Amino acid sequence: MAKKSGRGITRQAVRGAMRRFTKLGFITSETTNTNTLINVVNWGSFQVKENETTSETTNEQPSDNQRTTTNKNDKNDKKKDKSKEPAVDYKKIVDYLNSETGHKYHTTDKTRRMIHARIAEGFTEHDFGMVIHYKSLEWKDNPDMQQYLRPKTLFSAEHFDDYTNEARAAASKQQRQDTSEPPVLTPEEGSARQADYMAQLEKQYAKEGESNE
């Protein structure tokens, strides 16, 4: 056993190990006149069938193997998480900003990060279109405010939520001014009217964005 165990393993070390295993109940031994018969207790429980794959087998792997498996699973989970993220047309948003303001902004990494951060907060491409459209109407002819028609200001975490609500309020006000029907509507009629108007605005936004590509 000492020879088969590899270099550096002495007979004394093997005897010591055998005594510890016996004391712990891992093995039993029967000594005869010619040899010693060693039995491994519960041998069958340590064996795995050839085609059997269980979670227990994975758990019994060395720690390095377990760590590697865990890292692979983490990477797979990250890939799945990324696949669930909504696709964002960054160029479309920037092109629409340029068409509304007359600027020539590029789709830089910094701009992408700001747009992505707002999308992660629950905003949509339509919200970007609303903010661009209505802030352009408000600021485009104001020499003091023209400079703020830029991604850094419009898409910032500090202002975007306020700008979105302002744009929605402006859209609702414009809708009431454009309609020839009585201003008093039931909640159902008001919701349907708002949804239809928002859909029309989104189509306009998409069409203008495509024309710039």
Side-chain angles (χ1 to χ4, degrees):
M1 290 180 65
K3 290 181 181 179
K4 291 183 178 180
S5 297
R7 296 179 180 179
I9 304 298
T10 64
R11 292 185 179 184
Q12 185 178 359
V14 171
R15 291 192 184 100
M18 298 298 292
R19 284 194 296 269
R20 286 196 298 274
F21 292 161
T22 301
K23 185 177 180 180
L24 293 171
F26 296 164
I27 63 173
T28 61
S29 60
E30 299 176 12
T31 303
T32 67
N33 294 331
T34 57
N35 55 35
T36 300
L37 177 63
I38 299 172
N39 295 308
V40 178
V41 179
N42 296 323
W43 169 266
S45 63
F46 298 117
Q47 309 308 303
V48 179
K49 296 179 181 179
E50 291 183 1
N51 297 327
E52 184 181 76
T53 303
T54 65
S55 59
E56 293 180 357
T57 304
T58 303
N59 291 336
E60 290 173 359
Q61 293 177 356
S63 58
D64 289 343
N65 289 344
Q66 287 183 332
R67 191 176 299 109
T68 301
T69 303
T70 302
N71 291 339
K72 288 182 179 179
N73 291 335
D74 290 343
K75 290 180 180 178
N76 290 334
D77 290 340
K78 289 179 180 178
K79 288 181 180 180
K80 290 180 181 178
D81 291 341
K82 288 183 178 180
S83 67
K84 293 180 182 179
E85 294 181 359
V88 182
D89 193 339
Y90 301 102
K91 185 176 185 300
K92 174 183 175 182
I93 294 173
V94 175
D95 284 349
Y96 184 63
L97 172 62
N98 290 334
S99 69
E100 287 286 290
T101 63
H103 295 314
K104 294 182 179 180
Y105 289 109
H106 294 86
T107 312
T108 63
D109 290 339
K110 183 177 181 180
T111 298
R112 287 192 185 93
R113 286 195 295 271
M114 284 192 294
I115 295 174
H116 181 80
R118 304 293 79 76
I119 295 292
E121 292 170 351
F123 296 101
T124 65
E125 289 186 20
H126 178 72
D127 292 327
F128 282 91
M130 293 278 290
V131 169
I132 291 170
H133 179 71
Y134 283 101
K135 298 312 286 187
S136 295
L137 291 177
E138 182 181 353
W139 292 348
K140 189 163 55 176
D141 297 327
N142 186 332
D144 296 329
M145 300 303 294
Q146 286 178 352
Q147 59 180 318
Y148 298 112
L149 290 173
R150 58 188 181 182
K152 179 180 178 180
T153 301
L154 296 179
F155 306 158
S156 69
E158 182 180 359
H159 302 299
F160 195 76
D161 190 32
D162 291 336
Y163 291 163
T164 302
N165 283 286
E166 290 175 11
R168 289 171 181 166
S172 297
K173 182 178 180 180
Q174 182 177 339
Q175 180 189 5
R176 290 195 298 270
Q177 292 175 346
D178 292 344
T179 181
S180 59
E181 296 182 15
V184 180
L185 301 174
T186 65
E188 292 78 9
E189 291 171 333
S191 298
R193 181 79 57 75
Q194 179 71 7
D196 181 64
Y197 182 77
M198 296 287 278
Q200 292 179 7
L201 185 63
E202 186 172 16
K203 289 181 180 179
Q204 176 187 350
Y205 158 52
K207 184 176 180 181
E208 293 178 359
E210 291 173 358
S211 65
N212 293 316
E213 295 181 355

